[in-house]
Amino acid sequence: MSHYQHETAIVDAGAQIGEGSRIWHFVHVCGGARIGAGVSLGQNVFVGNKVVIGDHCKIQNNVSVYDNVTLEEGVFCGPSMVFTNVYNPRSLIERKDEYRNTLVQKGATLGANCTIVCGVTIGEYAFIGAGAVVNKDVKPYALMVGVPARQIGWMSEHGEQLDLPLSGEGETICTHTGATYRLTSGRCARFVFPAK
């Protein structure tokens, strides 16, 4: 076995799990799931059939990753955060054919107890604060808090708030890494200097 699996975990036949991944106590991985290398699934995590989890994601305790959720490389899911896949659920009405796709792009952080309403895209390296409720798309590098979530700043790839305005133009340097970030037309990105 190329990954670690605790004896209490259930991994259904057909699930794909990458090299070096760790599956802890009371986890259930459904047979259609595709999980990358170096992934950590904490205690009591559920992973549905139509789920893709990229390399080096960390999913903390008590998180259910339901069908139609895709996590790109390096996504962090904090303890007890929530995904959904039906926008308007009712117990008495079958809506499995109405699942909405949710995409969390590379390096994003989803804080403890936050809720991601289905059908949104969370941009790369975005940072969703603890307890926030996200009900619309989130820009790359955006720092989001509150209910419903609103943007209050920008975050570096290192996970530190950047000294940039919410809109307009600007440039700053991450004090931890020295990387340069530029805000252009209301969108933030790490600036890579051209090779000489």
Side-chain angles (χ1 to χ4, degrees), residues 20-67:
S21 289
R22 298 174 309 284
I23 300 174
W24 296 101
H25 306 66
F26 313 116
V27 170
H28 181 192
V29 178
C30 293
R34 290 185 289 150
I35 298 172
V39 171
S40 177
L41 303 180
Q43 181 172 302
N44 199 38
V45 166
F46 170 81
V47 181
N49 278 300
K50 297 177 183 175
V51 170
V52 177
I53 298 175
D55 295 345
H56 308 294
C57 288
K58 292 183 180 176
I59 301 177
Q60 303 293 77
N61 296 356
N62 306 313
V63 174
S64 292
V65 187
Y66 294 119
D67 285 354

Side-chain angles (χ1 to χ4, degrees), residues 28 137 163 167 171 176-177:
H28 181 192
D137 290 352
D163 183 20
S167 60
E171 183 175 304
H176 290 273
T177 65

Side-chain angles (χ1 to χ4, degrees), residues 108-138:
T109 291
L110 310 178
N113 282 304
C114 74
T115 297
I116 309 300
V117 177
C118 58
V120 302
T121 296
I122 311 288
E124 64 179 9
Y125 298 103
F127 198 103
I128 312 303
V133 176
V134 175
N135 61 359
K136 60 185 179 182
D137 290 352
V138 174

Side-chain angles (χ1 to χ4, degrees), residues 82-149:
V82 175
F83 290 105
T84 67
N85 58 12
V86 175
Y87 189 77
N88 55 338
R90 293 284 199 198
S91 289
L92 300 175
I93 299 176
E94 184 67 46
R95 291 208 159 104
K96 289 187 176 177
D97 60 345
E98 298 177 25
Y99 287 171
R100 296 188 183 185
N101 296 329
T102 298
L103 172 62
V104 184
Q105 294 182 327
K106 179 180 179 178
T109 291
L110 310 178
N113 282 304
C114 74
T115 297
I116 309 300
V117 177
C118 58
V120 302
T121 296
I122 311 288
E124 64 179 9
Y125 298 103
F127 198 103
I128 312 303
V133 176
V134 175
N135 61 359
K136 60 185 179 182
D137 290 352
V138 174
K139 294 178 183 178
Y141 299 94
L143 171 59
M144 309 288 291
V145 300
V147 180

Side-chain angles (χ1 to χ4, degrees), residues 162-175:
L162 294 167
D163 183 20
L164 287 170
L166 276 181
S167 60
E169 314 287 321
E171 183 175 304
T172 192
I173 294 174
C174 175
T175 57

